[in-house]
Amino acid sequence: MTIKIKFFGVLAGIASTNETSFEIPTETNSDAIKEHFESIFTGFKNQQYQLALNQQLLNANSKVGDGDEIAFLPPFAGG
Amino acid sequence: MIKASDKERYSRQITLSEVGLSGQKKMFSTSVLVIGAGGLGCPTLLYLVAAGVRNLGIVDFDTIERSNLPRQVIFNESDVGELKAEIARKKILKNESIAKIIAFNVKLDQANAAGILADYDLVIDCTDNFGTRYLINDTCVKLNKCWVYGSVHLHQGQVSVFNWNGGPTYRDLFPESSDKETAPNCNELGVLGAFTGIIGTHMAMEAMKVILEIGTPLSGKIWVYNSLNNQSNVIAFSHGKSNTKVKKPTKKFNLHEINVQEFATFIHSNKAQIVDIRNNWELPQIDNIKHLSIPLDLLEERIAELKKFKSIIFICQKGIRSKKAVEIAERNNLINTMSLAGGIEKYLEHEKEQST
């Protein structure tokens, strides 16, 4: 199962990419994805951000499966 | 009544069916407060006043610095050292001499926010810090005012419209979290002036949609734009937790380990690179499965060879060393690596069972 991952703002800088695809062996959930990326890019833990599933902001853990898109969205500050 | 000279001046927008004379009157009569006269505030102010917004407030306590000139395009060399709000007021009065423009040469704070915002129909946040942004949000919610938000990070920008006709607010999108790092601003990171121009102009456009009551403002949606690759994303959000539709989560799953059935699917789909991390003398060989061989001891020094693969499955005899391989790979920022539980032995057993 392939899921698409998008990183925005400061998180794209930490991950050194704006987007990537990610293979998962079976359906998983958004908390597991978040935990996975926080363990690889430890700088994520210090940042404020929200997860969006298929362009909809998530406020609770949610099922993630084949073809889904997860976005890591931090607030921006510059003006 | 709209004067003949105004009909001529604003004719190109009055011609639009969505604007017309009634829309132009809304532009004349709506009061707008722009907070921050910097990279976003300058284009926003210029386009609003040019469109006929004649009642404007400008909040900025700062003075103009030479390094502001490439993006804060209202200001000129001779303005360096002067107050931003005051100079912006003078400059835009040159565009529209009858406009009523108040310069608030103060920092917006808890004590003055409600008093300043109260007199305006619409608020536009062109600031560069979270403290002021939450203050603007909370004051607008309290005073029941809509506000337009925009912000940039390097070559990426965000725009949204909050508290529009009871729509979600900034806190529904980003609840305040004081334990996190504060995002850096343009002074620290750098920015191209044309880019703050794009985002500021987009904010002015959203403000006009709200004023004219046309189209679909970015309420409950945040537009995220990347100028380097021209990608736009619109992410929807709603009020707090109660209204969000969530797909019921499955049980927590280990993203690092796959079973033999899943491994078989991966071999079939060709979606992951298989890497055998056993030593080359270990048996059985797996010539029938397309793979790379990198012994575990050499993995760290040969990790660069794997960076080109998006997804990798490490395999070994029993699935113990392959877990270590995942640890090493993740330490080296490979984001999608998995280990075959039970190893090659378990997989071959599974294959045998399948064929009998």
Side-chain angles (χ1 to χ4, degrees), chain A residues 7-12 44 46-51 57 71-79, chain B residues 125 127-131 133-134 147 149-154 156-160 162 170-178 180-185 189 222-224 235:
Chain A
F7 301 115
F8 293 108
V10 68
L11 302 178
F44 277 26
N46 304 324
Q47 301 297 328
Q48 185 191 7
Y49 67 90
Q50 297 279 62
L51 288 189
L57 202 80
F72 287 67
L73 180 72
F76 298 172
Chain B
D125 165 30
T127 64
D128 63 357
N129 68 87
F130 291 123
R133 187 155 298 135
Y134 283 108
W147 65 287
Y149 154 79
S151 194
V152 301
H153 176 91
L154 296 170
Q156 295 183 31
Q158 298 177 334
V159 177
S160 186
F162 297 114
Y170 187 67
R171 285 186 187 276
D172 292 311
L173 178 60
F174 295 117
E176 201 164 10
S177 55
S178 52
K180 303 292 184 189
E181 282 176 18
T182 52
N185 62 33
L189 289 175
I222 181 167
W223 177 67
V224 190
I235 292 172

Short mmCIF file of all heavy atoms in Angstrom, two decimals, chain A residues 7-12 44 46-51 57 71-79, chain B residues 125 127-131 133-134 147 149-154 156-160 162 170-178 180-185 189 222-224 235:
data_model
loop_
_atom_site.label_atom_id
_atom_site.label_comp_id
_atom_site.label_asym_id
_atom_site.label_seq_id
_atom_site.Cartn_x
_atom_site.Cartn_y
_atom_site.Cartn_z
N PHE A 7 5.42 17.41 3.34
CA PHE A 7 5.94 18.21 4.45
C PHE A 7 5.89 19.68 4.05
O PHE A 7 6.28 20.03 2.94
CB PHE A 7 7.40 17.84 4.76
CG PHE A 7 7.61 16.40 5.14
CD1 PHE A 7 8.36 15.57 4.32
CD2 PHE A 7 7.07 15.88 6.30
CE1 PHE A 7 8.57 14.24 4.67
CE2 PHE A 7 7.27 14.55 6.65
CZ PHE A 7 8.03 13.73 5.83
N PHE A 8 5.45 20.54 4.97
CA PHE A 8 5.42 21.97 4.68
C PHE A 8 6.32 22.76 5.64
O PHE A 8 6.61 22.30 6.75
CB PHE A 8 3.98 22.50 4.79
CG PHE A 8 3.07 21.97 3.72
CD1 PHE A 8 2.09 21.04 4.03
CD2 PHE A 8 3.19 22.38 2.40
CE1 PHE A 8 1.26 20.53 3.05
CE2 PHE A 8 2.36 21.89 1.42
CZ PHE A 8 1.39 20.96 1.75
N GLY A 9 6.69 23.95 5.20
CA GLY A 9 7.40 24.91 6.05
C GLY A 9 8.66 24.34 6.65
O GLY A 9 9.46 23.66 5.99
N VAL A 10 8.82 24.61 7.93
CA VAL A 10 10.04 24.23 8.64
C VAL A 10 10.24 22.71 8.61
O VAL A 10 11.37 22.21 8.61
CB VAL A 10 10.01 24.81 10.08
CG1 VAL A 10 8.95 24.15 10.93
CG2 VAL A 10 11.36 24.74 10.74
N LEU A 11 9.14 21.96 8.52
CA LEU A 11 9.24 20.49 8.52
C LEU A 11 9.85 19.98 7.21
O LEU A 11 10.59 18.99 7.21
CB LEU A 11 7.87 19.85 8.76
CG LEU A 11 7.18 20.26 10.06
CD1 LEU A 11 5.81 19.59 10.16
CD2 LEU A 11 8.02 19.90 11.27
N ALA A 12 9.55 20.66 6.10
CA ALA A 12 10.16 20.29 4.82
C ALA A 12 11.67 20.51 4.89
O ALA A 12 12.45 19.74 4.33
CB ALA A 12 9.56 21.11 3.68
N PHE A 44 11.21 17.16 14.51
CA PHE A 44 9.76 17.35 14.39
C PHE A 44 9.11 17.54 15.76
O PHE A 44 8.13 18.25 15.89
CB PHE A 44 9.10 16.13 13.73
CG PHE A 44 9.15 16.13 12.22
CD1 PHE A 44 10.15 16.81 11.54
CD2 PHE A 44 8.20 15.45 11.47
CE1 PHE A 44 10.20 16.80 10.15
CE2 PHE A 44 8.23 15.43 10.09
CZ PHE A 44 9.23 16.10 9.43
N ASN A 46 9.97 19.10 18.31
CA ASN A 46 10.01 20.45 18.89
C ASN A 46 9.13 21.43 18.14
O ASN A 46 9.05 22.60 18.51
CB ASN A 46 11.45 20.99 18.85
CG ASN A 46 12.40 20.07 19.54
OD1 ASN A 46 12.04 19.45 20.54
ND2 ASN A 46 13.60 19.93 19.01
N GLN A 47 8.52 20.97 17.06
CA GLN A 47 7.73 21.89 16.23
C GLN A 47 6.24 21.71 16.47
O GLN A 47 5.78 20.61 16.71
CB GLN A 47 8.02 21.64 14.74
CG GLN A 47 9.47 21.81 14.35
CD GLN A 47 10.00 23.22 14.55
OE1 GLN A 47 9.25 24.18 14.42
NE2 GLN A 47 11.27 23.34 14.89
N GLN A 48 5.53 22.82 16.36
CA GLN A 48 4.08 22.75 16.37
C GLN A 48 3.61 22.43 14.96
O GLN A 48 4.03 23.08 14.00
CB GLN A 48 3.49 24.09 16.81
CG GLN A 48 1.98 24.01 16.94
CD GLN A 48 1.33 25.37 17.12
OE1 GLN A 48 1.98 26.39 17.02
NE2 GLN A 48 0.04 25.37 17.38
N TYR A 49 2.79 21.42 14.81
CA TYR A 49 2.22 21.13 13.49
C TYR A 49 0.97 20.29 13.63
O TYR A 49 0.70 19.72 14.68
CB TYR A 49 3.25 20.42 12.60
CG TYR A 49 3.64 19.03 13.00
CD1 TYR A 49 2.94 17.92 12.54
CD2 TYR A 49 4.72 18.81 13.86
CE1 TYR A 49 3.31 16.65 12.91
CE2 TYR A 49 5.08 17.53 14.24
CZ TYR A 49 4.38 16.45 13.76
OH TYR A 49 4.73 15.18 14.14
N GLN A 50 0.22 20.24 12.54
CA GLN A 50 -0.99 19.44 12.49
C GLN A 50 -0.85 18.44 11.35
O GLN A 50 -0.13 18.68 10.39
CB GLN A 50 -2.21 20.33 12.20
CG GLN A 50 -2.49 21.37 13.26
CD GLN A 50 -3.25 20.79 14.43
OE1 GLN A 50 -2.77 19.88 15.12
NE2 GLN A 50 -4.43 21.29 14.68
N LEU A 51 -1.59 17.36 11.44
CA LEU A 51 -1.63 16.39 10.35
C LEU A 51 -2.92 16.57 9.57
O LEU A 51 -3.98 16.82 10.16
CB LEU A 51 -1.61 14.96 10.88
CG LEU A 51 -0.31 14.41 11.47
CD1 LEU A 51 -0.47 12.91 11.72
CD2 LEU A 51 0.88 14.66 10.56
N LEU A 57 -7.81 18.49 7.74
CA LEU A 57 -7.07 18.51 9.00
C LEU A 57 -7.61 17.44 9.95
O LEU A 57 -8.82 17.27 10.07
CB LEU A 57 -7.21 19.88 9.64
CG LEU A 57 -6.11 20.24 10.64
CD1 LEU A 57 -4.87 20.72 9.89
CD2 LEU A 57 -6.59 21.33 11.58
N ALA A 71 -0.40 15.02 5.19
CA ALA A 71 0.39 16.25 5.15
C ALA A 71 0.77 16.68 6.56
O ALA A 71 -0.04 16.58 7.48
CB ALA A 71 -0.40 17.36 4.46
N PHE A 72 2.02 17.11 6.71
CA PHE A 72 2.52 17.63 7.98
C PHE A 72 2.54 19.16 7.85
O PHE A 72 3.36 19.70 7.10
CB PHE A 72 3.94 17.12 8.25
CG PHE A 72 4.01 15.66 8.64
CD1 PHE A 72 3.68 14.66 7.73
CD2 PHE A 72 4.42 15.29 9.92
CE1 PHE A 72 3.75 13.32 8.09
CE2 PHE A 72 4.49 13.95 10.29
CZ PHE A 72 4.16 12.97 9.38
N LEU A 73 1.63 19.82 8.55
CA LEU A 73 1.43 21.26 8.34
C LEU A 73 1.75 22.09 9.58
O LEU A 73 0.99 22.07 10.55
CB LEU A 73 -0.03 21.50 7.92
CG LEU A 73 -0.41 22.96 7.66
CD1 LEU A 73 0.21 23.45 6.36
CD2 LEU A 73 -1.93 23.11 7.59
N PRO A 74 2.84 22.84 9.56
CA PRO A 74 3.12 23.75 10.68
C PRO A 74 2.59 25.16 10.37
O PRO A 74 2.37 25.48 9.21
CB PRO A 74 4.65 23.77 10.71
CG PRO A 74 5.04 23.59 9.27
CD PRO A 74 3.94 22.81 8.59
N PRO A 75 2.40 25.98 11.40
CA PRO A 75 2.06 27.38 11.12
C PRO A 75 3.31 28.10 10.61
O PRO A 75 4.42 27.74 10.99
CB PRO A 75 1.65 27.93 12.49
CG PRO A 75 2.35 27.07 13.47
CD PRO A 75 2.54 25.72 12.84
N PHE A 76 3.13 29.12 9.76
CA PHE A 76 4.26 29.95 9.33
C PHE A 76 4.23 31.23 10.16
O PHE A 76 3.18 31.63 10.66
CB PHE A 76 4.16 30.30 7.84
CG PHE A 76 4.20 29.13 6.90
CD1 PHE A 76 3.95 29.32 5.54
CD2 PHE A 76 4.49 27.85 7.34
CE1 PHE A 76 3.99 28.25 4.65
CE2 PHE A 76 4.53 26.77 6.46
CZ PHE A 76 4.27 26.98 5.11
N ALA A 77 5.38 31.91 10.22
CA ALA A 77 5.41 33.13 11.03
C ALA A 77 5.77 34.38 10.25
O ALA A 77 5.48 35.48 10.67
CB ALA A 77 6.37 32.95 12.20
N GLY A 78 6.42 34.23 9.11
CA GLY A 78 7.00 35.40 8.45
C GLY A 78 5.96 36.32 7.84
O GLY A 78 4.91 35.90 7.39
N GLY A 79 6.27 37.61 7.84
CA GLY A 79 5.39 38.59 7.22
C GLY A 79 6.23 39.77 6.85
O GLY A 79 5.99 40.64 6.16
N ASP B 125 -4.31 40.40 9.03
CA ASP B 125 -3.11 40.14 9.84
C ASP B 125 -1.90 40.00 8.93
O ASP B 125 -1.75 39.00 8.23
CB ASP B 125 -3.33 38.86 10.65
CG ASP B 125 -2.03 38.33 11.23
OD1 ASP B 125 -1.11 39.13 11.51
OD2 ASP B 125 -1.91 37.09 11.41
N THR B 127 1.24 40.40 10.28
CA THR B 127 2.30 40.44 11.29
C THR B 127 3.28 39.29 11.08
O THR B 127 3.11 38.46 10.18
CB THR B 127 1.71 40.35 12.71
OG1 THR B 127 1.07 39.07 12.86
CG2 THR B 127 0.69 41.44 12.95
N ASP B 128 4.28 39.23 11.93
CA ASP B 128 5.30 38.19 11.77
C ASP B 128 5.57 37.43 13.07
O ASP B 128 6.64 36.91 13.26
CB ASP B 128 6.60 38.82 11.26
CG ASP B 128 7.19 39.82 12.24
OD1 ASP B 128 6.55 40.05 13.29
OD2 ASP B 128 8.28 40.35 11.97
N ASN B 129 4.55 37.38 13.95
CA ASN B 129 4.79 36.61 15.18
C ASN B 129 3.49 36.03 15.73
O ASN B 129 2.40 36.55 15.49
CB ASN B 129 5.48 37.49 16.23
CG ASN B 129 4.57 38.59 16.73
OD1 ASN B 129 3.80 38.39 17.67
ND2 ASN B 129 4.63 39.76 16.10
N PHE B 130 3.65 34.91 16.46
CA PHE B 130 2.48 34.17 16.93
C PHE B 130 1.71 34.89 18.04
O PHE B 130 0.50 34.80 18.13
CB PHE B 130 2.89 32.79 17.43
CG PHE B 130 3.34 31.88 16.33
CD1 PHE B 130 4.60 31.30 16.36
CD2 PHE B 130 2.51 31.61 15.25
CE1 PHE B 130 5.02 30.47 15.33
CE2 PHE B 130 2.91 30.79 14.22
CZ PHE B 130 4.18 30.21 14.27
N GLY B 131 2.45 35.61 18.90
CA GLY B 131 1.79 36.30 20.01
C GLY B 131 0.72 37.26 19.51
O GLY B 131 -0.43 37.23 19.96
N ARG B 133 -0.62 37.25 16.57
CA ARG B 133 -1.63 36.51 15.78
C ARG B 133 -2.73 35.94 16.68
O ARG B 133 -3.92 36.05 16.38
CB ARG B 133 -0.93 35.40 15.00
CG ARG B 133 -1.83 34.68 14.03
CD ARG B 133 -1.03 34.07 12.91
NE ARG B 133 -0.35 35.09 12.14
CZ ARG B 133 0.93 35.02 11.75
NH1 ARG B 133 1.64 33.95 12.03
NH2 ARG B 133 1.47 36.00 11.07
N TYR B 134 -2.33 35.35 17.80
CA TYR B 134 -3.36 34.83 18.73
C TYR B 134 -4.17 35.97 19.33
O TYR B 134 -5.37 35.84 19.57
CB TYR B 134 -2.72 33.97 19.83
CG TYR B 134 -2.36 32.58 19.33
CD1 TYR B 134 -1.03 32.22 19.13
CD2 TYR B 134 -3.35 31.64 19.04
CE1 TYR B 134 -0.69 30.96 18.66
CE2 TYR B 134 -3.02 30.38 18.57
CZ TYR B 134 -1.69 30.04 18.39
OH TYR B 134 -1.37 28.79 17.91
N TRP B 147 -11.36 37.98 10.03
CA TRP B 147 -10.00 38.45 9.73
C TRP B 147 -9.32 37.56 8.70
O TRP B 147 -9.59 36.37 8.59
CB TRP B 147 -9.17 38.61 10.99
CG TRP B 147 -8.83 37.39 11.80
CD1 TRP B 147 -9.68 36.68 12.59
CD2 TRP B 147 -7.54 36.75 11.93
NE1 TRP B 147 -9.01 35.65 13.20
CE2 TRP B 147 -7.70 35.67 12.83
CE3 TRP B 147 -6.28 37.01 11.41
CZ2 TRP B 147 -6.64 34.83 13.18
CZ3 TRP B 147 -5.22 36.19 11.77
CH2 TRP B 147 -5.41 35.11 12.65
N TYR B 149 -5.82 36.06 7.18
CA TYR B 149 -4.50 35.69 7.67
C TYR B 149 -3.57 35.35 6.50
O TYR B 149 -3.99 34.75 5.52
CB TYR B 149 -4.64 34.45 8.58
CG TYR B 149 -3.40 33.58 8.68
CD1 TYR B 149 -2.34 33.94 9.51
CD2 TYR B 149 -3.29 32.39 7.96
CE1 TYR B 149 -1.20 33.14 9.60
CE2 TYR B 149 -2.16 31.59 8.06
CZ TYR B 149 -1.12 31.96 8.88
OH TYR B 149 0.01 31.17 8.98
N GLY B 150 -2.33 35.75 6.63
CA GLY B 150 -1.31 35.31 5.67
C GLY B 150 0.03 35.27 6.36
O GLY B 150 0.29 36.03 7.31
N SER B 151 0.89 34.37 5.91
CA SER B 151 2.21 34.28 6.50
C SER B 151 3.13 33.52 5.53
O SER B 151 2.64 32.77 4.69
CB SER B 151 2.11 33.54 7.83
OG SER B 151 3.29 33.70 8.56
N VAL B 152 4.42 33.75 5.65
CA VAL B 152 5.35 33.07 4.75
C VAL B 152 6.47 32.37 5.52
O VAL B 152 6.82 32.75 6.65
CB VAL B 152 5.98 34.03 3.71
CG1 VAL B 152 4.91 34.69 2.86
CG2 VAL B 152 6.85 35.08 4.38
N HIS B 153 6.99 31.33 4.88
CA HIS B 153 8.18 30.64 5.37
C HIS B 153 9.03 30.34 4.15
O HIS B 153 8.65 29.51 3.32
CB HIS B 153 7.79 29.34 6.10
CG HIS B 153 8.97 28.54 6.54
ND1 HIS B 153 9.55 28.70 7.78
CD2 HIS B 153 9.70 27.60 5.90
CE1 HIS B 153 10.58 27.87 7.89
NE2 HIS B 153 10.69 27.20 6.76
N LEU B 154 10.15 31.03 4.01
CA LEU B 154 11.02 30.91 2.84
C LEU B 154 10.21 31.11 1.55
O LEU B 154 9.73 32.20 1.31
CB LEU B 154 11.75 29.54 2.84
CG LEU B 154 12.72 29.35 4.00
CD1 LEU B 154 13.22 27.92 4.08
CD2 LEU B 154 13.92 30.30 3.89
N GLN B 156 7.41 29.40 0.81
CA GLN B 156 6.05 28.88 1.01
C GLN B 156 5.20 29.90 1.76
O GLN B 156 5.69 30.57 2.66
CB GLN B 156 6.09 27.58 1.82
CG GLN B 156 6.80 26.44 1.11
CD GLN B 156 6.76 25.15 1.91
OE1 GLN B 156 5.83 24.88 2.64
NE2 GLN B 156 7.79 24.34 1.74
N GLY B 157 3.96 29.99 1.37
CA GLY B 157 3.06 30.93 2.04
C GLY B 157 1.74 30.27 2.39
O GLY B 157 1.34 29.27 1.78
N GLN B 158 1.07 30.83 3.40
CA GLN B 158 -0.26 30.36 3.82
C GLN B 158 -1.21 31.53 3.83
O GLN B 158 -0.84 32.64 4.22
CB GLN B 158 -0.21 29.82 5.26
CG GLN B 158 0.69 28.62 5.47
CD GLN B 158 0.74 28.18 6.94
OE1 GLN B 158 0.52 28.97 7.85
NE2 GLN B 158 1.06 26.91 7.14
N VAL B 159 -2.45 31.28 3.40
CA VAL B 159 -3.50 32.29 3.50
C VAL B 159 -4.78 31.61 3.97
O VAL B 159 -5.08 30.48 3.55
CB VAL B 159 -3.75 33.00 2.14
CG1 VAL B 159 -4.91 34.00 2.26
CG2 VAL B 159 -2.49 33.73 1.66
N SER B 160 -5.52 32.27 4.87
CA SER B 160 -6.82 31.74 5.29
C SER B 160 -7.69 32.91 5.76
O SER B 160 -7.20 34.03 5.93
CB SER B 160 -6.64 30.71 6.41
OG SER B 160 -7.86 30.09 6.73
N PHE B 162 -10.50 33.73 8.76
CA PHE B 162 -11.02 33.19 10.02
C PHE B 162 -12.24 33.95 10.52
O PHE B 162 -12.40 35.15 10.24
CB PHE B 162 -9.93 33.23 11.10
CG PHE B 162 -8.73 32.37 10.78
CD1 PHE B 162 -7.50 32.95 10.53
CD2 PHE B 162 -8.84 30.99 10.70
CE1 PHE B 162 -6.39 32.17 10.23
CE2 PHE B 162 -7.75 30.20 10.39
CZ PHE B 162 -6.52 30.79 10.15
N TYR B 170 -8.43 30.75 14.01
CA TYR B 170 -7.02 30.31 13.96
C TYR B 170 -6.74 29.22 14.99
O TYR B 170 -5.96 28.31 14.76
CB TYR B 170 -6.11 31.52 14.20
CG TYR B 170 -4.63 31.23 14.00
CD1 TYR B 170 -4.12 30.92 12.75
CD2 TYR B 170 -3.74 31.26 15.08
CE1 TYR B 170 -2.77 30.65 12.57
CE2 TYR B 170 -2.39 31.00 14.90
CZ TYR B 170 -1.91 30.70 13.64
OH TYR B 170 -0.56 30.43 13.47
N ARG B 171 -7.42 29.30 16.14
CA ARG B 171 -7.19 28.29 17.18
C ARG B 171 -7.75 26.92 16.79
O ARG B 171 -7.32 25.90 17.33
CB ARG B 171 -7.78 28.74 18.52
CG ARG B 171 -6.96 29.83 19.19
CD ARG B 171 -7.49 30.14 20.58
NE ARG B 171 -6.82 31.28 21.15
CZ ARG B 171 -5.65 31.24 21.79
NH1 ARG B 171 -5.05 30.09 21.98
NH2 ARG B 171 -5.10 32.34 22.27
N ASP B 172 -8.72 26.89 15.87
CA ASP B 172 -9.19 25.60 15.36
C ASP B 172 -8.15 24.97 14.46
O ASP B 172 -8.08 23.75 14.32
CB ASP B 172 -10.51 25.77 14.58
CG ASP B 172 -11.65 26.17 15.48
OD1 ASP B 172 -11.83 25.53 16.53
OD2 ASP B 172 -12.36 27.15 15.15
N LEU B 173 -7.36 25.80 13.83
CA LEU B 173 -6.31 25.31 12.93
C LEU B 173 -5.03 24.98 13.72
O LEU B 173 -4.48 23.89 13.61
CB LEU B 173 -6.02 26.37 11.86
CG LEU B 173 -4.93 26.08 10.84
CD1 LEU B 173 -5.24 24.83 10.03
CD2 LEU B 173 -4.77 27.28 9.90
N PHE B 174 -4.58 25.94 14.50
CA PHE B 174 -3.37 25.75 15.30
C PHE B 174 -3.63 26.14 16.75
O PHE B 174 -3.47 27.32 17.09
CB PHE B 174 -2.21 26.58 14.74
CG PHE B 174 -1.76 26.18 13.37
CD1 PHE B 174 -1.88 27.05 12.30
CD2 PHE B 174 -1.21 24.92 13.14
CE1 PHE B 174 -1.47 26.69 11.03
CE2 PHE B 174 -0.79 24.55 11.87
CZ PHE B 174 -0.92 25.44 10.81
N PRO B 175 -4.03 25.19 17.58
CA PRO B 175 -4.18 25.53 19.00
C PRO B 175 -2.82 25.97 19.55
O PRO B 175 -1.79 25.48 19.10
CB PRO B 175 -4.61 24.20 19.63
CG PRO B 175 -5.08 23.35 18.51
CD PRO B 175 -4.32 23.78 17.30
N GLU B 176 -2.84 26.90 20.48
CA GLU B 176 -1.58 27.46 21.00
C GLU B 176 -0.81 26.37 21.75
O GLU B 176 -1.39 25.63 22.53
CB GLU B 176 -1.89 28.61 21.95
CG GLU B 176 -0.74 29.54 22.13
CD GLU B 176 -1.18 30.87 22.77
OE1 GLU B 176 -2.33 30.95 23.22
OE2 GLU B 176 -0.38 31.77 22.81
N SER B 177 0.48 26.27 21.49
CA SER B 177 1.29 25.31 22.25
C SER B 177 2.61 25.97 22.60
O SER B 177 3.48 26.15 21.77
CB SER B 177 1.51 24.04 21.45
OG SER B 177 2.07 24.32 20.21
N SER B 178 2.72 26.35 23.85
CA SER B 178 3.85 27.17 24.28
C SER B 178 5.15 26.37 24.41
O SER B 178 6.23 26.94 24.45
CB SER B 178 3.53 27.83 25.62
OG SER B 178 3.10 26.83 26.52
N LYS B 180 6.50 24.46 22.23
CA LYS B 180 7.18 24.21 20.95
C LYS B 180 8.05 25.41 20.57
O LYS B 180 7.85 26.52 21.05
CB LYS B 180 6.15 23.95 19.85
CG LYS B 180 5.20 22.81 20.15
CD LYS B 180 5.92 21.47 20.13
CE LYS B 180 4.92 20.33 20.34
NZ LYS B 180 5.57 19.04 20.55
N GLU B 181 8.98 25.13 19.63
CA GLU B 181 9.82 26.22 19.14
C GLU B 181 8.94 27.20 18.36
O GLU B 181 8.00 26.80 17.69
CB GLU B 181 10.87 25.66 18.17
CG GLU B 181 12.02 24.98 18.86
CD GLU B 181 12.99 24.35 17.87
OE1 GLU B 181 12.96 24.71 16.68
OE2 GLU B 181 13.77 23.50 18.31
N THR B 182 9.29 28.49 18.42
CA THR B 182 8.54 29.44 17.60
C THR B 182 9.15 29.45 16.21
O THR B 182 10.36 29.39 16.04
CB THR B 182 8.61 30.86 18.20
OG1 THR B 182 9.98 31.17 18.42
CG2 THR B 182 7.84 30.96 19.50
N ALA B 183 8.27 29.50 15.22
CA ALA B 183 8.75 29.45 13.83
C ALA B 183 9.55 30.71 13.53
O ALA B 183 9.21 31.80 13.98
CB ALA B 183 7.56 29.33 12.89
N PRO B 184 10.61 30.57 12.75
CA PRO B 184 11.43 31.73 12.42
C PRO B 184 10.72 32.68 11.44
O PRO B 184 9.83 32.26 10.71
CB PRO B 184 12.66 31.11 11.75
CG PRO B 184 12.25 29.75 11.33
CD PRO B 184 11.12 29.33 12.20
N ASN B 185 11.07 33.96 11.46
CA ASN B 185 10.43 34.93 10.55
C ASN B 185 11.40 35.33 9.42
O ASN B 185 12.51 34.82 9.32
CB ASN B 185 9.92 36.15 11.32
CG ASN B 185 11.04 36.91 12.01
OD1 ASN B 185 12.16 36.97 11.52
ND2 ASN B 185 10.74 37.48 13.16
N LEU B 189 15.24 34.20 8.28
CA LEU B 189 15.37 33.19 7.22
C LEU B 189 15.69 33.78 5.86
O LEU B 189 16.26 33.10 5.02
CB LEU B 189 14.07 32.41 7.08
CG LEU B 189 13.72 31.44 8.20
CD1 LEU B 189 12.34 30.85 7.94
CD2 LEU B 189 14.75 30.33 8.29
N ILE B 222 -7.18 26.38 4.44
CA ILE B 222 -5.92 27.12 4.39
C ILE B 222 -5.23 26.78 3.06
O ILE B 222 -5.11 25.61 2.69
CB ILE B 222 -5.02 26.84 5.62
CG1 ILE B 222 -3.72 27.65 5.53
CG2 ILE B 222 -4.74 25.36 5.82
CD1 ILE B 222 -2.93 27.70 6.82
N TRP B 223 -4.86 27.84 2.35
CA TRP B 223 -4.16 27.70 1.07
C TRP B 223 -2.67 27.73 1.37
O TRP B 223 -2.18 28.63 2.08
CB TRP B 223 -4.56 28.86 0.17
CG TRP B 223 -3.89 28.95 -1.17
CD1 TRP B 223 -4.04 28.08 -2.21
CD2 TRP B 223 -3.00 29.98 -1.64
NE1 TRP B 223 -3.30 28.51 -3.29
CE2 TRP B 223 -2.66 29.66 -2.98
CE3 TRP B 223 -2.47 31.13 -1.06
CZ2 TRP B 223 -1.81 30.45 -3.74
CZ3 TRP B 223 -1.61 31.92 -1.82
CH2 TRP B 223 -1.29 31.58 -3.14
N VAL B 224 -1.96 26.72 0.90
CA VAL B 224 -0.51 26.67 1.11
C VAL B 224 0.15 26.63 -0.27
O VAL B 224 -0.13 25.74 -1.07
CB VAL B 224 -0.10 25.42 1.93
CG1 VAL B 224 1.35 25.50 2.34
CG2 VAL B 224 -0.98 25.26 3.17
N ILE B 235 -6.05 22.90 2.37
CA ILE B 235 -6.37 21.94 3.43
C ILE B 235 -7.57 22.46 4.22
O ILE B 235 -7.59 23.61 4.65
CB ILE B 235 -5.13 21.71 4.33
CG1 ILE B 235 -4.07 20.97 3.49
CG2 ILE B 235 -5.50 20.91 5.58
CD1 ILE B 235 -2.74 20.83 4.15
#
